[in-house]
Each structure stands twice: as structure tokens, then as C-alpha cells.
Amino acid sequence: MKPVSAALAACATVITLAASAALAAGPMDGAIKARQGLMDNLAFNLGVLGGMAKGAMPYDQSAAQAAAGNIVTLTTLNEGAYWPKGSDNGAVEGTHALPAIWDKPDAFMGHMKDLHDAAVKMQEAAGTDLSAVQGAMKGVGGACGGCHKQFRAPSN
């Protein structure tokens, strides 16, 4: 077998095995992992900005702009497949998503839009100065908190 053909065959085998494992794990697991990954990425980038805003780390214009840009990008993803009905914490273990997400989808999506709008303002502020980042954190934190209060079960 030629080296390129062998590599392609190996890749196809890995992809097939990964897809089979994902389906065997549970029909909602992939979606739940995707949205949790999204939230982890949001939290990481918010942590950079929050660390600066709280004075836990020095303001760094390029790091602030990168983190804010990442948040904007993350909030523009089409997340429809991440939130299948029946993937709430009452139906599946390992998620904090409340059934209210599917009972009030317009309100949920409104919170997602609020986060995106706050992220755009943060992106504008991130390259300015520490004071601007601190001011923009209130909007981002409010958007996150507003959604979590209504649609996310508390962590244990």
C-alpha cells in the first residue's frame, strides 16, 4: 500500500471509531460536550479579561483584544445542534442545562444575543485601557448571569 493510501485508511478508521464511540456513549453526549466546550472557551477568555479587570493580572492590550475577539467569535457560532430537546439536566446526567431552555427558547436565544452584543462592546473596549475593560465586564457578566439564573442549574 502506498504511504498516502495507508495514511488515509488510518484516518478513516480513526474517524469511524470515534463516530461509533460517540454514538455508543449516548445520542446527546456529542451535543452536550460541544456546548460545554463552548462554555469552557467562553469562561477561559472571560477569565483573562476578568483577571485584568480585577487587577489579578496586568492589563495587556493585545491579550485583552485576543480574548474579546475570541468571545465575539464564539458568540457568532450557530449553536442549534448543541441544544437538542431532551439534553437537559432532567433527562441526561452531566449537564446543567435546565428544561426551561426548551420551554422558553425565545428568552434563551435573547440571552445569547445579549451576550453577543456585550461581547462586541467588550471587543471595542479591550484595546482602549483597563478602565474600559472594567466597564465592559459589567455588560458581559450581566449577560452571562442573566442567562445562568434562568437556564442553568447551580453546580454542586
Side-chain angles (χ1 to χ4, degrees):
M1 194 179 277
K2 293 182 180 181
V4 173
S5 297
L8 289 174
C11 286
T13 301
V14 169
I15 291 169
T16 301
L17 291 173
S20 297
L23 290 174
M28 301 296 177
D29 288 356
I32 292 169
K33 286 180 183 179
R35 70 180 181 232
Q36 289 174 342
L38 172 71
M39 296 300 169
D40 287 345
N41 275 286
L42 286 168
F44 175 82
N45 287 286
L46 288 168
V48 170
L49 294 163
M52 289 180 201
K54 292 177 185 175
M57 58 191 294
Y59 171 73
D60 176 321
Q61 181 181 21
S62 65
Q65 288 177 312
N70 288 342
I71 295 167
V72 169
T73 298
L74 291 166
T75 62
T76 61
L77 295 175
N78 180 339
E79 300 175 35
Y82 297 3
W83 305 96
K85 189 170 179 111
S87 65
D88 60 87
N89 71 336
V92 182
E93 287 188 38
T95 179
H96 295 287
L98 292 173
I101 291 170
W102 296 272
D103 294 338
K104 302 175 186 174
D106 292 339
F108 177 69
M109 293 310 294
H111 285 291
M112 299 299 267
K113 183 183 179 328
D114 292 346
L115 176 58
H116 175 73
D117 293 346
V120 169
K121 289 179 182 173
M122 173 59 81
Q123 188 177 33
E124 293 168 2
T128 306
D129 59 24
L130 177 60
S131 178
V133 169
Q134 290 169 326
M137 279 302 292
K138 293 174 187 169
V140 174
C144 291
C147 189
H148 284 192
K149 285 178 189 169
Q150 191 173 2
F151 298 111
R152 183 182 188 273
S155 299
N156 292 334

